[in-house]
Amino acid sequence: SYDLTQPPSVSVSPGQTASITCSGDKLGSIYVSWYQQKPGQSPVLVIHQDTKRPSGIPERFSGSNSGNTATLTISGTQAMDEADYYCQAWDINTVTVVFGGGTKLTVL
Amino acid sequence: EVQLVESGGGLVQPGGSLRLSCAASGLTVSSNYMTWVRQAPGRGLQWVSLVDSDGRTYYTDSVKGRFTISRDNSKNTLYLQMNSLRAEDTAVFYCARIQRAGTTGYAFDIWGQGTMVTVSS
């Protein structure tokens, strides 16, 4: 099966840039989406097709995907961005959806 | 307003069955790819199943042969029939709409609020 690997946790100071990585074999050849989930809430799509922001998502959220690594970048991180973040991709070979294990972003 | 509302969760004994429902408003279930995702307590997101607009269904290995995804077009509702439930199926179950782009661009852009399933004796 296809695996996506994320760091369990990332810390960032308010106003600084946070980068969350997602690694997988030849990940750059398929689209990656990113979700934000706050405690007790449903996930929210923040990036799709590697780099696109849905309507209503702040411009400080951006994404990239190349080689074996996709990255979610949050510029000028705010306290409200503290949440769990998950990457997700479609495994063409097994025709299944794969999520990364999730990264807890702490803003301190 | 586009909305997905899940129901049907609850407490069930190991080996039992449960049917989850996901009522849609503002979108047509039959015209979209729809999916179920679960999250065990304190754990990450796990994809469970999806149905495409042609009615083809796909499942994660751990639920194949036990879970069945379906839809009722007249009720604009997605279902997940869960049989032979195990303790490890305990989770919040979310339904979501899939936004597609190309052959690999599957993004879950609309989510329901989730329904809790607890499998315990």
Side-chain angles (χ1 to χ4, degrees):
Chain A
S1 63
Y2 192 75
D3 292 325
L4 296 177
T5 301
Q6 298 181 235
S9 62
V10 168
S11 297
V12 64
S13 300
Q16 298 304 301
T17 297
S19 295
I20 299 173
T21 58
C22 175
S23 299
D25 186 46
K26 299 182 178 66
L27 187 58
S29 64
I30 57 178
Y31 282 132
V32 172
S33 299
W34 290 90
Y35 303 87
Q36 175 194 69
Q37 187 181 34
K38 297 181 179 179
Q41 298 184 18
S42 302
V44 173
L45 178 68
V46 294
I47 293 289
H48 64 100
Q49 291 179 252
D50 296 338
T51 61
K52 298 183 178 182
R53 277 180 296 104
S55 174
I57 300 302
E59 290 184 9
R60 63 180 181 274
F61 287 86
S62 63
S64 64
N65 185 16
S66 179
N68 295 322
T69 304
T71 303
L72 173 68
T73 302
I74 309 172
S75 304
T77 307
Q78 300 181 11
M80 68 172 64
D81 300 328
E82 189 164 280
D84 293 327
Y85 290 85
Y86 297 89
C87 60
Q88 171 256 311
W90 174 256
D91 183 351
I92 301 175
N93 294 323
T94 59
V95 194
T96 58
V97 174
V98 181
F99 282 100
T103 298
K104 182 176 181 59
L105 177 67
T106 301
V107 182
L108 39 67
Chain B
E1 180 191 8
V2 180
Q3 193 174 15
L4 297 172
V5 178
E6 301 96 334
S7 60
L11 174 64
V12 61
Q13 292 187 340
S17 297
L18 214 53
R19 189 179 79 158
L20 306 183
S21 300
C22 171
S25 55
L27 68 87
T28 303
V29 167
S30 62
S31 301
N32 284 277
Y33 283 40
M34 301 293 296
T35 191
W36 289 96
V37 175
R38 67 183 176 183
Q39 186 170 36
R43 306 294 296 276
L45 301 175
Q46 182 189 26
W47 174 73
V48 174
S49 179
L50 79 82
V51 56
D52 70 17
S53 53
D54 292 325
R56 288 179 294 237
T57 59
Y58 305 90
Y59 301 91
T60 192
D61 285 346
S62 62
V63 308
K64 283 180 182 176
R66 300 190 300 125
F67 290 11
T68 302
I69 190 171
S70 64
R71 63 192 183 201
D72 185 329
N73 298 341
S74 66
K75 295 182 178 180
N76 205 29
T77 298
L78 179 73
Y79 299 102
L80 186 68
Q81 176 67 43
M82 304 185 295
N83 299 330
S84 303
L85 282 161
R86 307 165 179 167
E88 54 265 35
D89 295 317
T90 294
V92 174
F93 282 73
Y94 299 97
C95 67
R97 194 270 294 270
I98 299 176
Q99 171 187 284
R100 293 180 300 122
T103 58
T104 67
Y106 285 59
F108 303 170
D109 64 340
I110 300 166
W111 294 69
Q113 85 287 353
T115 186
M116 182 71 203
V117 172
T118 303
V119 184
S120 174
S121 55

